[in-house]
Amino acid sequence: MMHILLIEDDIQAAEYLVKGLGECGHVVDHAADGEGGLHLALTGQYEVIVVDRMLPGRDGLSIIRLLRADRNQTPALVLSALGEVDDRVAGLHAGGDDYLVKPYAFSELLARLDALSRRNHPAMQEQRLRVGDLVVDRQSQMVTRANKRIRLQPREFRLLEYLMRNAGRVVTRTMLLEHVWDFHFDPQTNVIDVQISRLRSKIDKGFALPLLHTVRGAGYKLSESP
Amino acid sequence: MNLPKLYRTTAVRLALRYALVYALMLGLALAAFYWYSSRYVDSQLEAGLEQELRALTELFETGGMVGLAQAVRQRMQDGLHEGRFYALVSPAGEVLAGNLFEWPAGESVSLDAKVHRTWIEDDTMVGHLYDDDAYVPVVAREFPDGSRLLLAAGVEQAEALHEITEFLIEVLGVSVVLALIMSVILGRTILARMDTISRTAGDIMAGDLSQRVPVSGHNDEFDALAKRLNTMLDRIQQLIKGIREVTDNVAHDLRSPLSRLCNRLEVTLLEPRSEPEYREAISGGIEDAKALIKTFNAMLGIAQAEAGNHRTQWGRVDLNRLAVDLTDLYQPAARHKGQKLELTTRGSAEITGSRELLAQAIGNLLDNAIKYTPAGSGIRLEVKPSDAVAEVRVSDSGPGIPASERDHVLARFVRLDSSRHTPGNGLGLSLVQAVARLHKAELVLGDAGPGLLVSLRFPRHAVE
C-alpha cells in the first residue's frame, strides 16, 4: 500500500486513476489545480507524487521545484502531453524522478509508481541482491543460482540487476529499455521479449521454480511467486 | 493612378519631404543672395550718387548757379546722366535743369547730401523709366542761394538684380515640380513591385498555397525579398503538407483499429457472458488500445523530428558506440528469427545530433531488416566514417525494394503489398527520413545485391 498524491486537472482521468490505484491497494489524494496540489504536497506525507505538467494556477514543474527547494525529496512522476525529448529532460531537471507521456497505459503508470516508491528497495550500495536461491554480487558481477555459477554477458547482467533491484514488482518493457539501454523510444519489434527469454533460459532453465515471470499486458516480474 | 494610396508609400513621402527641404534650402539661399547683392548694388548706387553730387557741388563752387545749370543740361544733352535723374530747382521751385518735371511732391526730401530712399511718383520722371511710383535712392542738397539739387538713382542696375532673382525663383519652382514628378514615378515603381507581393499574399490567404512571389530578374533588393519569401513559403507549404498528411493518415490508420475496439466491446455487451469471456474481450480491447497508442506515439515522434525543435538536447554522438548499443539490443531478436546481425565499425565517427532520435532511426532500420528478411539471411550494420561524412549503412540479403518503389516507401503509412502480412504501421522509414532531414543527412535506398541497402550519410561538421 502506497500513499499517493495525484495532481491532475482532467477530472475524468483523475477519477479513473484514483479508482484504479485504489483497487490496486493504494490510497490516493487528488488535487485538481496547482496551488491545491502544492499545499497538499507540502503538508501531507506521501510516498509518491504524480503531477501533470500543465495545470491551472501553477505548472507541475514549479511544484516539484518548490518541493525540492523545501528539502522534500518525495519521488515525483511527471505526466505530460508534450512528450518531446526536451520536455522529458526539463521534467527530470526540475527534480522529477520519472516522466510519462500521454497517452499512456495504466499498467505502465502503475509499474513506474511501484518502482519509484523507495520502500522495499534495496539500497543502491547493497552489494548482494537475492531472490530465492538466485544471488547477484554487484561488485564481482558474479551470478549464482543454487550455488551454481551462471555466466551472463555485461548487458544481460545489467538487465538482471535492474530486475533484481525491482524484485517483486512489475517492470514494463519501456522501463527496461530506458534503464538498461538508455533508449527512450518504442521499438516496433519484440526486442525486449527476446532479451528476456534469453535471460530466462540462463537463470530458470533446469530449475523447478521459475523466477522470471511474464505479467500479461504489463511486463515482467522477478519473484519467487508468480 | 490612386494619389492618396501613392502618398501613403514610404518612397513618395520621403521624396516629398526631400523636395520640401530642398525648396526651403534653395529659398533661403536665394533670399540671402538677394539680400547681399541688393545691398551691394545699393551701396554702389549710393556711392555713385554721392560722388556725382560732390562733383556738381564743386562745379557750383567754381562756376556758380549758371555753371551748374549748364553742366546739368550738358549731361542731359550728351546722355551722360547714366540712368540717373536730376532736378535743379530755383528757390521758387522752378526747374532750372534736369530730367524731372518737378521737385518730388509728397514726402519731403531731406537735404543733408546723404542718400535716402524717397517716394518718387512715376509721372514726375522723364520717359517713365520706372513702371510705377517707387521708393528710389535719392540724394539732395540746398545751395546758399536757396536753390536745390536732387539726384535719383536710375533703374537698370536694380532691374538686373530683380531679373536674376526672378530667374532663380523660376529654377526653384521647376526643380520642386521635377522632384514631385520623380517622387511619383519612384512611388509608382515601388508600389507596383509591392503590389505583386501583396497580391501573392492575398492569393495565399485565399487558400492557394502554391502561389509564389514573381522574381523580376533584376537581382535587386526586391528580388532578394521575393526569393526569401518564396523559400519561406516553400517551407510552410511543406510543413502544412506534412500536417495534412498526418491528419489524413491519423484518420485513415486509426479509424479501423478504433472501430475494431469499439465493436469488440459493444458485441461483448450484447448478451450476458461468463467472466472469462468478459476478461478475454477486455484484454483484447486493451491490446487494441495499446497498439493505437504505439501508432500515435510513432506519428508524434515523426512530427516532432520534422518540426526539428529539440536542438537543445543535441550533443556529440559517437555513432560507433550507438551502433554497438543497438546491435546489442537487436542481436537476440535477429538470432531468434534465425538471422545473423553483424556489426562493422572502423575509425571514430562522432557527429553532432540527438542520440535519442538517431537511435530511433537506426533502430527502425534494424527493425525493418529483421521483419522483412527471411530466416537464414544476414543483416549488416556498418559505420563508415570518412573526412566529410559519417555513413551508417544497414543492409540485408532479403527481397529488397524495387528501384521504382524506393521513393514511394518513404511516404508515411506506405507498406508494400508484399509486406501486408507482417505487423507494423508503415511509419518506420518516414521517421528515419525526418531524422535524416533534421541532421542534414542524406538518406539513400539502394540495392545490396541481393537485398536492401539503406544508407544514412551524416555531414561530420557544421550541422548548424
Side-chain angles (χ1 to χ4, degrees):
Chain A
M1 197 274 282
M2 277 194 287
H3 199 184
I4 300 170
L5 171 61
L6 171 66
I7 312 175
E8 161 70 89
D9 61 319
D10 178 344
I11 301 296
Q12 264 191 312
E15 262 172 22
Y16 94 77
L17 282 180
V18 170
K19 182 163 182 272
L21 291 169
E23 280 173 7
C24 292
H26 304 302
V27 177
V28 185
D29 288 346
H30 171 230
D33 63 81
E35 293 300 341
L38 181 63
H39 178 74
L40 283 180
L42 285 170
T43 53
Q45 288 289 323
Y46 298 100
E47 272 157 273
V48 185
I49 298 174
V50 180
V51 58
D52 194 78
R53 248 200 96 157
M54 304 226 242
L55 290 167
R58 171 181 285 290
D59 82 286
L61 295 192
S62 79
I63 293 177
I64 299 178
R65 249 181 246 119
L66 284 171
L67 281 180
R68 298 295 181 254
D70 198 44
R71 303 228 177 122
N72 183 327
Q73 298 298 334
T74 312
L77 184 144
V78 183
L79 293 178
S80 169
L82 300 172
E84 300 204 3
V85 180
D86 284 6
D87 297 313
R88 194 185 65 238
V89 174
L92 301 182
H93 264 220
D97 299 274
D98 203 354
Y99 192 89
L100 199 51
V101 177
K102 294 177 180 178
Y104 57 85
F106 179 73
S107 52
E108 186 74 41
L109 176 68
L110 195 62
R112 281 168 188 265
L113 288 180
D114 255 348
L116 276 185
S117 159
R118 299 223 162 89
R119 223 168 12 146
N120 304 328
H121 259 296
M124 280 306 280
Q125 62 271 31
E126 197 166 311
Q127 203 190 316
R128 261 161 186 255
L129 301 170
R130 178 189 291 272
V131 174
D133 53 359
L134 178 65
V135 180
V136 167
D137 187 305
R138 298 169 84 177
Q139 204 166 35
S140 63
Q141 304 232 328
M142 180 120 95
V143 180
T144 57
R145 180 150 188 201
N147 294 322
K148 252 177 73 186
R149 176 97 192 255
I150 297 172
R151 289 185 190 281
L152 296 181
Q153 287 172 358
R155 192 74 68 171
E156 290 170 332
F157 181 82
R158 284 179 63 182
L159 181 58
L160 178 63
E161 185 193 24
Y162 184 75
L163 287 163
M164 293 284 269
R165 279 202 285 125
N166 288 284
R169 276 188 286 264
V170 176
V171 293
T172 64
R173 291 170 180 80
T174 45
M175 285 163 76
L176 289 172
L177 199 60
E178 281 174 22
H179 289 97
V180 181
W181 281 272
D182 192 24
F183 288 141
H184 299 264
F185 64 91
D186 195 358
Q188 299 295 317
T189 38
N190 55 347
V191 281
I192 297 294
D193 298 336
V194 180
Q195 296 272 4
I196 289 287
S197 73
R198 258 164 53 106
L199 180 64
R200 182 179 280 143
S201 73
K202 289 193 178 177
I203 63 169
D204 277 348
K205 208 170 180 181
F207 294 95
L209 183 71
L211 296 177
L212 186 44
H213 309 281
T214 301
V215 182
R216 201 186 158 201
Y220 301 97
K221 188 166 78 169
L222 193 69
S223 70
E224 285 181 277
S225 56
Chain B
M1 182 178 22
N2 188 340
L3 275 176
K5 185 181 172 190
L6 204 56
Y7 177 69
R8 281 197 300 272
T9 62
T10 315
V12 168
R13 255 187 286 180
L14 270 180
L16 285 179
R17 239 170 267 172
Y18 277 120
L20 192 71
V21 170
Y22 171 67
L24 217 70
M25 302 280 283
L26 208 58
L28 273 175
L30 215 60
F33 166 77
Y34 182 74
W35 191 68
Y36 280 111
S37 43
S38 60
R39 265 190 42 161
Y40 175 72
V41 169
D42 283 355
S43 66
Q44 291 291 311
L45 281 177
E46 285 163 16
L49 284 175
E50 283 170 10
Q51 198 190 346
E52 176 72 349
L53 187 66
R54 274 198 300 279
L56 290 173
T57 305
E58 271 168 37
L59 284 175
F60 171 79
E61 276 158 10
T62 52
M65 184 52 65
V66 179
L68 177 59
Q70 180 62 37
V72 171
R73 258 182 238 114
Q74 196 61 46
R75 275 174 163 71
M76 298 300 116
Q77 264 170 25
D78 299 348
L80 290 175
H81 52 77
E82 291 176 340
R84 292 193 194 101
F85 298 94
Y86 293 75
L88 180 62
V89 298
S90 68
E94 186 194 345
V95 177
L96 300 173
N99 51 3
L100 282 178
F101 297 127
E102 56 187 336
W103 192 259
E107 222 174 292
S108 62
V109 174
S110 97
L111 299 169
D112 57 0
K114 294 214 160 58
V115 174
H116 296 281
R117 296 238 152 203
T118 307
W119 184 254
I120 305 284
E121 283 173 10
D122 186 37
D123 51 10
T124 59
M125 290 174 253
V126 177
H128 299 275
L129 282 176
Y130 278 98
D131 287 343
D132 213 339
D133 307 341
Y135 277 102
V136 174
V138 164
V139 67
R141 68 164 295 167
E142 191 172 23
F143 293 102
D145 63 349
S147 58
R148 288 164 292 168
L149 176 62
L150 176 145
L151 302 178
V155 75
E156 286 88 353
Q157 288 139 309
E159 283 280 275
L161 185 61
H162 271 292
E163 273 165 26
I164 291 173
T165 311
E166 268 164 30
F167 172 71
L168 288 176
I169 289 173
E170 279 160 21
V171 168
L172 174 67
V174 167
S175 55
V176 168
V177 168
L178 277 176
L180 285 177
I181 292 172
M182 281 302 293
S183 74
V184 167
I185 291 171
L186 191 65
R188 284 185 66 177
T189 317
I190 291 175
L191 257 189
R193 305 284 299 266
M194 298 298 284
D195 272 347
T196 57
I197 296 176
S198 173
R199 251 197 311 279
T200 312
D203 288 346
I204 291 168
M205 280 190 284
D208 184 1
L209 256 181
S210 65
Q211 287 292 322
R212 289 295 176 269
V213 180
V215 177
S216 70
H218 296 310
N219 256 328
D220 53 12
E221 62 272 32
F222 278 101
D223 276 4
L225 177 66
K227 281 178 197 158
R228 202 89 185 131
L229 285 174
N230 287 343
T231 315
M232 180 186 81
L233 288 170
D234 287 344
R235 180 84 181 119
I236 290 174
Q237 192 180 17
Q238 193 190 331
L239 286 174
I240 288 182
K241 194 170 153 245
I243 292 167
R244 214 171 271 163
E245 266 171 27
V246 170
T247 36
D248 286 356
N249 294 330
V250 167
H252 175 266
D253 237 64
L254 298 185
R255 189 179 288 145
S256 41
L258 270 174
S259 44
R260 196 169 59 229
L261 169 62
C262 193
N263 290 347
R264 192 202 290 263
L265 296 176
E266 277 176 341
V267 169
T268 311
L269 274 183
L270 279 182
E271 48 189 85
R273 291 174 202 278
S274 67
E275 204 201 300
E277 279 176 309
Y278 279 128
R279 286 197 161 277
E280 180 60 35
I282 290 172
S283 42
I286 290 172
E287 288 312 310
D288 283 350
K290 281 188 178 167
L292 282 169
I293 289 175
K294 238 180 153 119
T295 305
F296 190 81
N297 284 337
M299 287 191 303
L300 276 183
I302 295 170
Q304 281 158 13
E306 282 183 344
N309 47 12
H310 4 222
R311 292 284 169 84
T312 50
Q313 289 309 317
W314 279 33
R316 297 299 287 170
V317 180
D318 181 350
L319 290 176
N320 285 333
R321 245 203 97 81
L322 187 60
V324 169
D325 287 349
L326 284 165
T327 308
D328 189 63
L329 177 64
Y330 281 90
Q331 181 72 264
R335 211 171 288 157
H336 184 70
K337 255 198 90 178
Q339 297 154 336
K340 209 171 148 201
L341 172 57
E342 273 180 277
L343 170 67
T344 320
T345 59
R346 63 180 89 114
S348 89
E350 272 201 2
I351 62 164
T352 301
S354 155
R355 176 182 181 271
E356 201 58 46
L357 290 172
L358 291 168
Q360 203 169 345
I362 301 168
N364 280 5
L365 294 178
L366 293 173
D367 258 338
N368 280 349
I370 292 170
K371 236 186 295 184
Y372 299 121
T373 314
S377 51
I379 298 165
R380 294 174 70 88
L381 172 59
E382 289 169 274
V383 182
K384 298 171 75 178
S386 73
D387 283 347
V389 293
E391 188 181 11
V392 175
R393 307 171 76 155
V394 176
S395 52
D396 61 53
S397 53
I401 298 176
S404 57
E405 295 197 66
R406 282 178 198 149
D407 279 344
H408 185 51
V409 295
L410 294 177
R412 243 161 284 190
F413 293 102
V414 168
R415 307 186 60 209
L416 298 179
D417 286 340
S418 52
S419 67
R420 283 282 166 208
H421 56 279
T422 32
N425 50 30
L427 290 168
L429 273 181
S430 358
L431 179 104
V432 177
Q433 195 182 32
V435 172
R437 208 177 284 155
L438 190 64
H439 287 80
K440 303 242 186 298
E442 198 186 350
L443 170 63
V444 183
L445 302 190
D447 203 333
L452 178 65
L453 167 71
V454 185
S455 152
L456 279 166
R457 288 196 199 104
F458 297 93
R460 298 204 61 176
H461 311 285
V463 179
E464 268 182 52

